[in-house]
């Protein structure tokens, strides 16, 4: 085959190949999704108003203060939000970022990334490093144990083990349901279980701000429901509310919101 023919084939293949994606405009949107090799813009951040989250007041204040510092260019921590499912960990991250953006949208953006995209983390940092904007990188529901150990070890190395420093305007917020991530009691567990716990603790130690989310007790659960329903003039039966939680096997802020949604739907109003 002649060189001319090879050139024609190469040109034809180039015409068939999709064009490369345009570079990401990291200043134009409130949020992005990092897909491993490229980012997808999110024009509208899906977030509840911060005052719509109940039962986690201390966590709200701590995370809001930290993100406000990040947006202002001051020192800020990487954040670990751990604990009970359904108590608002990921909802709080989104709500706090949206609340800070309401005051200074050009100074802070949220970038969500999946744990499996961690091998491409350095490429993301390289893109964000020169941007005149702060970024909170969000990893939701980080896995632990055998299934998530690789991601956990990769994140641990990236947080506090790399040769190149991470710029001060880029911080992480990570959520995890595994309670053992911050427990330090010695037990008689098997060797591999102790290794998993030690790996989790080594990761937790790399976060400057650690926020725990605990299962709601009965009074807190009912208070959260009341906070949703009272502004609508709706009343509810506490016994029915408790039965609703028992049916779902989880007394949490999420369950309270679901019950309030059921009540609002019955009344024909929007929550």
């Amino acid at each position: 085959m002649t060189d001319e023919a090879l050139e024609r084939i190469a040109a034809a293949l180039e015409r068939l190949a999709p064009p490369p994606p345009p570079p990401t405009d990291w200043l134009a949107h409130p949020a992005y999704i990092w897909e491993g090799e490229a980012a997808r813009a999110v024009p509208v951040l899906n977030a509840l108003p911060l005052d719509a989250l109940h039962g986690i007041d201390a966590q709200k204040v701590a995370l809001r203060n930290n993100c406000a510092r990040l947006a202002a260019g001051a020192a800020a921590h990487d954040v670990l939000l751990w604990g009970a499912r359904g108590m608002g960990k990921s909802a709080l991250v989104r709500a706090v970022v949206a609340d800070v953006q309401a005051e200074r949208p050009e100074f802070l953006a949220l970038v969500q990334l999946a744990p499996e995209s961690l091998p491409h983390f350095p490429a993301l940092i390289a893109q964000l490093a020169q941007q005149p904007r702060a970024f909170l990188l969000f990893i939701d529901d980080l896995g632990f144990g055998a299934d998530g150990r690789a991601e956990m070890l990769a994140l641990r190395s990236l947080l506090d083990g790399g040769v190149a420093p991470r710029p001060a305007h880029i911080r992480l917020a990570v959520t995890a349901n595994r309670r053992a991530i911050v427990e330090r009691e010695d037990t008689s567990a098997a060797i591999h279980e102790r290794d998993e716990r030690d790996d989790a603790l080594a990761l937790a130690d790399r976060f400057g701000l650690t926020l725990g989310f605990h299962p709601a007790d009965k009074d807190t659960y009912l208070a959260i429901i009341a906070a949703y329903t009272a502004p609508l003039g709706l009343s509810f039966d506490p016994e029915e509310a408790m039965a609703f939680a028992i049916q779902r096997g989880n007394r949490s802020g999420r369950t309270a919101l679901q019950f309030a949604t059921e009540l609002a739907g019955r009344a024909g109003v929007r929550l």
Side-chain angles (χ1 to χ4, degrees):
M1 186 175 292
T2 65
D3 291 343
E4 182 179 354
L6 290 173
E7 290 176 0
R8 287 200 302 271
I9 292 173
L13 291 174
E14 288 181 1
R15 289 193 295 272
L16 292 174
T24 302
D25 185 348
W26 291 107
L27 306 180
H29 301 283
Y32 303 82
I33 297 174
W34 176 250
E35 298 177 330
E37 296 181 355
R40 175 161 52 91
V42 179
V44 178
L45 176 56
N46 178 24
L48 291 169
L50 192 56
D51 59 7
L53 299 177
H54 306 286
I56 51 172
D57 292 342
Q59 296 90 329
K60 286 163 62 173
V61 171
L63 187 61
R64 177 64 168 76
N65 288 343
N66 192 67
C67 288
R69 294 169 188 163
L70 179 63
H77 294 295
D78 294 311
V79 187
L80 174 65
L81 303 91
W82 69 273
R85 60 188 175 92
M87 284 304 296
K89 297 183 295 294
S90 59
L92 179 59
V93 172
R94 297 192 302 269
V96 162
V97 170
D99 197 66
V100 172
Q101 288 175 341
E103 296 180 358
R104 39 178 66 194
E106 71 277 19
F107 292 146
L108 179 65
L110 184 69
V111 183
Q112 182 164 358
L113 54 155
E116 58 268 21
S117 70
L118 287 177
H120 301 278
F121 190 88
L124 173 61
I125 298 301
Q127 289 194 36
L128 300 181
Q130 303 304 318
Q131 299 295 328
R133 190 184 198 186
F135 295 91
L136 185 68
L137 309 186
F138 178 36
I139 302 175
D140 193 22
D141 197 18
L142 183 69
F144 292 92
D147 293 338
R149 189 168 186 268
E151 289 88 3
M152 182 172 61
L153 293 177
L155 179 58
R156 192 178 80 184
S157 176
L158 291 167
L159 278 168
D160 192 27
V163 175
R166 181 158 39 96
H169 68 289
I170 302 172
R171 288 294 174 260
L172 280 85
V174 177
T175 72
N177 290 333
R178 177 77 173 268
R179 180 178 177 84
I181 190 171
V182 293
E183 290 180 342
R184 286 168 168 75
E185 296 87 352
D186 192 14
T187 70
S188 57
I191 291 176
H192 74 278
E193 292 173 341
R194 292 200 302 271
D195 287 345
E196 288 178 6
R197 186 180 67 249
D198 290 344
D199 288 339
L201 292 175
L203 175 61
D205 287 342
R206 284 162 168 77
F207 292 90
L209 179 60
T210 301
L211 302 175
F213 291 70
H214 307 286
D217 58 25
K218 177 181 178 181
D219 290 342
T220 300
Y221 170 68
L222 295 177
I224 295 173
I225 295 174
Y228 285 125
T229 57
L232 303 176
L234 298 176
S235 60
F236 65 93
D237 179 359
E239 291 187 3
E240 183 187 5
M242 296 305 299
F244 188 90
I246 292 171
Q247 184 181 32
R248 281 152 183 77
N250 184 25
R251 194 170 56 209
S252 67
R254 179 183 297 149
T255 304
L257 177 58
Q258 291 168 345
F259 182 70
T261 300
E262 172 64 20
L263 294 179
R266 293 177 194 170
V269 298
R270 185 186 299 272
L271 187 62

mmCIF file with all atom_site columns, all heavy atoms in Angstrom, residues 76 160 165-166 205:
data_model
loop_
_atom_site.group_PDB
_atom_site.id
_atom_site.type_symbol
_atom_site.label_atom_id
_atom_site.label_alt_id
_atom_site.label_comp_id
_atom_site.label_asym_id
_atom_site.label_entity_id
_atom_site.label_seq_id
_atom_site.pdbx_PDB_ins_code
_atom_site.Cartn_x
_atom_site.Cartn_y
_atom_site.Cartn_z
_atom_site.occupancy
_atom_site.B_iso_or_equiv
_atom_site.pdbx_formal_charge
_atom_site.auth_seq_id
_atom_site.auth_comp_id
_atom_site.auth_asym_id
_atom_site.auth_atom_id
_atom_site.pdbx_PDB_model_num
ATOM 1  N N   . ALA A 1 76  ? -9.095  26.255 54.728 1.00 0.00 ? 76  ALA A N   1
ATOM 2  C CA  . ALA A 1 76  ? -10.286 25.422 54.936 1.00 0.00 ? 76  ALA A CA  1
ATOM 3  C C   . ALA A 1 76  ? -9.858  23.963 54.990 1.00 0.00 ? 76  ALA A C   1
ATOM 4  O O   . ALA A 1 76  ? -8.820  23.573 54.468 1.00 0.00 ? 76  ALA A O   1
ATOM 5  C CB  . ALA A 1 76  ? -11.305 25.654 53.827 1.00 0.00 ? 76  ALA A CB  1
ATOM 6  N N   . ASP A 1 160 ? -3.018  12.872 51.482 1.00 0.00 ? 160 ASP A N   1
ATOM 7  C CA  . ASP A 1 160 ? -1.852  13.227 52.297 1.00 0.00 ? 160 ASP A CA  1
ATOM 8  C C   . ASP A 1 160 ? -0.646  12.354 51.975 1.00 0.00 ? 160 ASP A C   1
ATOM 9  O O   . ASP A 1 160 ? 0.086   11.965 52.858 1.00 0.00 ? 160 ASP A O   1
ATOM 10 C CB  . ASP A 1 160 ? -2.205  13.063 53.782 1.00 0.00 ? 160 ASP A CB  1
ATOM 11 C CG  . ASP A 1 160 ? -1.153  13.682 54.698 1.00 0.00 ? 160 ASP A CG  1
ATOM 12 O OD1 . ASP A 1 160 ? -0.473  14.622 54.253 1.00 0.00 ? 160 ASP A OD1 1
ATOM 13 O OD2 . ASP A 1 160 ? -1.013  13.209 55.832 1.00 0.00 ? 160 ASP A OD2 1
ATOM 14 N N   . PRO A 1 165 ? 1.843   19.157 45.932 1.00 0.00 ? 165 PRO A N   1
ATOM 15 C CA  . PRO A 1 165 ? 0.822   19.643 46.869 1.00 0.00 ? 165 PRO A CA  1
ATOM 16 C C   . PRO A 1 165 ? -0.486  19.969 46.161 1.00 0.00 ? 165 PRO A C   1
ATOM 17 O O   . PRO A 1 165 ? -0.501  20.345 44.990 1.00 0.00 ? 165 PRO A O   1
ATOM 18 C CB  . PRO A 1 165 ? 1.466   20.909 47.447 1.00 0.00 ? 165 PRO A CB  1
ATOM 19 C CG  . PRO A 1 165 ? 2.388   21.385 46.360 1.00 0.00 ? 165 PRO A CG  1
ATOM 20 C CD  . PRO A 1 165 ? 2.911   20.142 45.700 1.00 0.00 ? 165 PRO A CD  1
ATOM 21 N N   . ARG A 1 166 ? -1.570  19.805 46.876 1.00 0.00 ? 166 ARG A N   1
ATOM 22 C CA  . ARG A 1 166 ? -2.877  20.184 46.357 1.00 0.00 ? 166 ARG A CA  1
ATOM 23 C C   . ARG A 1 166 ? -3.110  21.649 46.667 1.00 0.00 ? 166 ARG A C   1
ATOM 24 O O   . ARG A 1 166 ? -2.912  22.100 47.794 1.00 0.00 ? 166 ARG A O   1
ATOM 25 C CB  . ARG A 1 166 ? -3.950  19.302 46.990 1.00 0.00 ? 166 ARG A CB  1
ATOM 26 C CG  . ARG A 1 166 ? -5.367  19.579 46.513 1.00 0.00 ? 166 ARG A CG  1
ATOM 27 C CD  . ARG A 1 166 ? -6.276  18.376 46.744 1.00 0.00 ? 166 ARG A CD  1
ATOM 28 N NE  . ARG A 1 166 ? -6.001  17.731 48.010 1.00 0.00 ? 166 ARG A NE  1
ATOM 29 C CZ  . ARG A 1 166 ? -6.682  17.970 49.136 1.00 0.00 ? 166 ARG A CZ  1
ATOM 30 N NH1 . ARG A 1 166 ? -7.658  18.843 49.135 1.00 0.00 ? 166 ARG A NH1 1
ATOM 31 N NH2 . ARG A 1 166 ? -6.393  17.322 50.232 1.00 0.00 ? 166 ARG A NH2 1
ATOM 32 N N   . ASP A 1 205 ? -8.110  10.136 59.610 1.00 0.00 ? 205 ASP A N   1
ATOM 33 C CA  . ASP A 1 205 ? -7.149  11.043 60.223 1.00 0.00 ? 205 ASP A CA  1
ATOM 34 C C   . ASP A 1 205 ? -6.684  12.130 59.272 1.00 0.00 ? 205 ASP A C   1
ATOM 35 O O   . ASP A 1 205 ? -6.116  13.141 59.711 1.00 0.00 ? 205 ASP A O   1
ATOM 36 C CB  . ASP A 1 205 ? -5.932  10.261 60.728 1.00 0.00 ? 205 ASP A CB  1
ATOM 37 C CG  . ASP A 1 205 ? -6.251  9.441  61.972 1.00 0.00 ? 205 ASP A CG  1
ATOM 38 O OD1 . ASP A 1 205 ? -7.266  9.738  62.627 1.00 0.00 ? 205 ASP A OD1 1
ATOM 39 O OD2 . ASP A 1 205 ? -5.488  8.505  62.269 1.00 0.00 ? 205 ASP A OD2 1
#
